[in-house]
Amino acid sequence: MATCHSMLGFEDVSCRRGGKTVLQDVHLSCKRGETLALLGPNGAGKTSTIGLALGLLRPSAGRIHIDGHAPGSLAARQTIGAMLQGGRPAQAMTVREWLMLAGAGRGQPSPLDEAIQMADIEDLLERQCETLSGGQLQRARLAAALAGQPRLLFLDEPTAGMDIDSRHRLWAGVGRLRENGCAILITTHDLDEAEQLSDRVALLHEGRVIACDHTAHIGRRVPGRVIRCRTRLEEATLAAWPDVEGVRLSGGHTTLMVRDAEAVLRRLLAADPELSALEVRNAGLEEAFLHLIHDHREQAA
Amino acid sequence: MTTTKQKRYLIMAGFLLAVLLFFFLLPTPQTPVQHADGDMIMGNVRIFDGERLLEDHQVRIRDGLIAAVEPASADPDEAGFIDGQDGFLMPGLIDSHVHVFGSAREDVLRFGVTGMIDLFTDHRQLPSFKEDRDSRQPTRRADVWSAGTLVTAEGGHGTQYGMPIPTLDDPDQAGSFIAERLAEGSDFIKLVYEGGEAFGFETNRLSQDSLQAAIRASHEADVLAVTHIGSREEARTALAAGTDGLVHTFSDADIDEEIIELMKDQRFLIPTLTVLASVVGEGAGESLLADEGVQARLSAGQKATLAMRFPTMDGPARYDHAETSVRVLNEAGVPILAGSDAPNPGTANGASLHEEMERLVAAGLSPRQALIAATAAPADAFSLDDRGRIKAGHRADLVLVDGNPLENIKDSRRIRKVWKNGHAVDLDPAAARAERERAAGEAVLLSDFEGDRSVAFGHDWESSTDQRMGGQSEVAVSQEREDDVGFLRVRGEIRSGFSWPYAGVMWFPGDTPMAPKDLSDFDGLEVRLRADVSTLRALVFSSANQSMPSEIDLSVEEDWGTVRIRFDEFDGIDHTAITGFGIFAGPSQGPFRFDMERVTLTPAGAGND
Amino acid sequence: MNTVTLPSRAGSTARALWLETETECARLLRMPESLVPTIAFPAFFYTLFGLVFDMGASNSAATYYLAMMGSIGVIGTGLMGTAIGTASERSGGWLDMRRVMSLPRSGWVVAKLVANLFAGLLALLPLFFLAAVFGEVRLNQGQWIGLALTLLIGGLPFCAIGLMIGSSMGERAAIAIANLIFLPMLFFSGLMIPLAFFPDWLQGIAPLLPAWHLGELALMQTRGDSAGQLVHWLVLLAWAGLASGLSAWLLRRSRQQ
């Protein structure tokens, strides 16, 4: 193959919808056996990117290919499986019928068992889709995306509304698919999830890819470290300290993004003798995400 | 998995089978039409069924009835298939205004008229009308539904025809009067309510009370009461009295709203434009006389009535008034029925119905409506349940014409074939009939003198005397009628002047007078005769005895008797080349008179009697 | 043991079409709440007008109303069923979902049409049964089948009209608008009450409505008339073309938003 196993390719793709530019010069690719996480705040263009890849939207400039085929073509559709946000099957359709239809046009005969197991919907097969709960429906969507063993999988916020158990099952499944050579494009808000699943991350902001790198590398692009602890100190106080780049309070924990970890640590311990649950680590995806967007905003400004 | 799948397919197949079965079990009209030996199938025709045109259908005929009107399917090679050659098939026509006399019932068939509404005739015919129309046997006569004796006032219209009829002059008698008509067999009641003013004469008419009483009595007896009227006011009165239909339209004035409203009440109009045209001199019969096809099928009697004219009348009647009524009432949805009033002067039995349809179209009916006026509409108006339509169960009375009368109503005359009770009718007045009878070894009716002197073949009976040979004898021939039986009266005087004086009538069997004709299929003739002399003579000319006819004596009586004349009694004649046959008085001198009623040729080999 | 496998020879378009059609028909049967009224409505009025109120000795009313109520049956399943189905599938996201699936594009239309023929048949069967058993309607075999086919095929243009409604509005609006079109159209086409009872100017409206043309075709079938059908078919075809063209445009437009 000319593109050497590149299952998905965006080349300088721009997209305008309703007079607004939603994507600008996007360049993306996803190889066989690779998982690409598409990250970005709401409105960054993640869903539009998937829409373009699926052929639901048309680019206003640039080229997109799905394993060498145009998005929306039958060949492209036979290659992909897509788990989209929202959307429910036609009324009175059973889960089994949904899965059969989802797998119907695929190239080779293949059992649906794997999809059913992975999505844990064995008990739901004869249910009509409108009787499913949100989580059940999400699992059925996953099964439909997996039906017929796609070679390119789109997962748009796949774990939203799933319980922990299903979520783990999904992660395990995605891992297996990747091992089998499936290319996966995933959008998520859960950075832990992205960090755990993806080989590479593309960060979208305001319609532009502001960073695209291996997941492991991307954290390193952020110079600083992260201190996490329980403390009485005010957020505003901490933010005013030199070397502190950002402060976040969540679940009783305070997270500090710092340039000089040792200096800040000393000062922390000195300022709050009752400080506990101290943790220091290198900056991760989350920090990189915040940092990069921060930078991008500043540049734009 | 496979089992669920199999179950699914089983359910689908079962459903499809059930649907198919359902459709096959849906009931079809009557008993499904099956092929039966002797069925006649009329195909390759466009069918006007009395209301609308059916394409790609065929008509199946069995036992004198229409067994089915079915999608065209017959194989032209199938037994009984009649190829209509893309002709136009319509129901036997119904003339809604006639007076049946003489040979009318035979004559109309040649014009596709298989049913007639008779509005006054000798009521003694009514039982035979009923019997005939109930029969599905082959027949040479059209069916008749008749009013029998009409209801009129003493000295009123209807009494002037030389036939004494009872009259209704007291409304209190109406009930018994109507009961008598029904006892005589009248199918419906016809009333006359005309004083003659529309046509400039004066005659008695029923009183309004009698009119009302007679209509009421008819309705109580559950029969229709139709009325002959002359003027618009007479029409108004008759309609107000509740008459079911007018059998003429008025022509003295234009129609008005009140009459339209009265007519809308489910009544019908038989405008008889043709006879009105004859009365007021609007060229009645002209279009028939100009039509060679029509000419060929007219008998001498039909030609005669067509050529006759009414005496000039002097009244306010105008043809355009009548046309206006027809147009307006047709637009108002009043059923219009085609009736010719044949055999009045200017009309001919059967033929004039076609002229009536043409006149109805000229008055504003569409050709389709005009055809309905001569088919389904009269059947509906007079409750003739199995006539007037091409429909399963109806009588197989059919007419096949060329062209398309729905586009040009005059095409209704282009008759190719007529079937009565499912049997084809001879369209040639008499010759073809004779030929068939002769071929079948049956007696051939040469002449019945019912309307004229016509013969089945050869030249009509002609008077003949010895004047040709320089003699002095004289003869006069006239058409007479007694007890409703027509006969030929021959009277004259035998005078000296020729050595064998004679006077009488002759028939030439050949195509031209004195052309030889092979009569060897026949062994002689039978003649119904009566005379005031005791002896007549029969003469036969043949090629073998051209100048000297061979003759025998006939003894005759004063009362009717059948006289048998055998050819082998004549000396020296050639059976195969007979040129003339005559019946004469003489040689005894003096006045004579003899009457001939019926002449029949008897088949050879039918045995000696 | 596999509980579900993809159909053998998957990938063949025919197989996918079959599957989608089968699913569509099965779904139809699972929704009695929308199927039963469209079947019961004409059957009820047929019983009323064609059987109970049939005064004359003849069965002309039974035959006449078979044609009329048959038309109503297929118009009901076609117009209402398609309008509501399309609106709900469009707003529920199914249309976008199936656009991403490897199903042939035509499958949705084919499945809808076949399912509609099926629903139409389900609406006609009880009518034909009532007509044959209680209305003593007698037609030739060919006429019965011809009538059913005329109604089923002649009902398809109403699917296109339903599609047009379903493509242009949401589910609730589609139900309202479809009803708003359905009932007056039956009335003004003379399917409920013969046109002869209407004033002239109202009668003039009928030929503008596709339902009248379908009714005329059905009547012709019961009378065995073949002449003059072409015009009515052409009018129905024109309606079908117009409505499906408009629907295609509406659907494309709604996708871009």
Side-chain angles (χ1 to χ4, degrees), chain A residues 88-105:
Chain A
R88 52 173 66 242
Q91 215 190 336
M93 186 181 282
T94 63
V95 173
R96 181 193 297 276
E97 284 166 342
W98 183 9
L99 296 192
M100 298 273 275
L101 286 174

Side-chain angles (χ1 to χ4, degrees), chain A residues 212-284:
Chain A
C212 186
D213 206 340
H214 288 281
T215 313
H217 299 168
I218 204 155
R220 283 183 230 146
R221 289 167 66 165
V222 185
R225 302 216 283 176
V226 177
I227 299 170
R228 200 160 169 267
C229 59
R230 279 179 181 278
T231 174
R232 294 188 278 108
L233 294 171
E234 298 279 320
E235 192 178 344
T237 317
L238 294 171
W241 288 0
D243 295 328
V244 173
E245 286 204 318
V247 185
R248 201 145 55 81
L249 257 169
S250 67
H253 284 90
T254 303
T255 307
L256 298 167
M257 178 99 184
V258 297
R259 262 183 301 246
D260 185 344
E262 288 75 14
V264 176
L265 252 179
R266 270 185 217 106
R267 193 161 171 187
L268 261 178
L269 291 167
D272 180 8
E274 286 166 41
L275 186 126
S276 63
L278 182 66
E279 194 183 317
V280 181
R281 58 178 167 87
N282 286 332

Side-chain angles (χ1 to χ4, degrees), chain A residues 22-35:
Chain A
V22 289
L23 285 178
Q24 184 75 50
D25 302 323
V26 169
H27 200 93
L28 284 176
S29 77
C30 188
K31 291 201 290 280
R32 283 196 52 172
E34 180 181 61
T35 302

Side-chain angles (χ1 to χ4, degrees), chain B residues 344-361:
Chain B
N344 265 297
T347 70
N349 286 321
S352 289
L353 183 62
H354 297 275
E355 178 176 341
E356 182 72 15
M357 288 195 279
E358 184 186 352
R359 288 183 181 275
L360 290 176
V361 171

Side-chain angles (χ1 to χ4, degrees), chain C residues 163-164 167 243-255:
Chain C
L163 182 65
M164 189 172 74
S167 317
S244 24
L246 220 73
S247 309
W249 180 75
L250 283 166
L251 283 175
R252 202 172 306 133
R253 204 186 55 156
S254 80
R255 232 186 283 132

Side-chain angles (χ1 to χ4, degrees), chain B residues 343-397:
Chain B
N344 265 297
T347 70
N349 286 321
S352 289
L353 183 62
H354 297 275
E355 178 176 341
E356 182 72 15
M357 288 195 279
E358 184 186 352
R359 288 183 181 275
L360 290 176
V361 171
L365 270 70
S366 68
R368 198 172 83 97
Q369 289 173 320
L371 283 182
I372 292 172
T375 53
D380 291 344
F382 288 94
S383 306
L384 317 181
D385 292 337
D386 61 345
R387 311 297 166 114
R389 285 182 171 83
I390 298 180
K391 193 174 165 188
H394 279 225
R395 192 65 67 90
D397 295 350

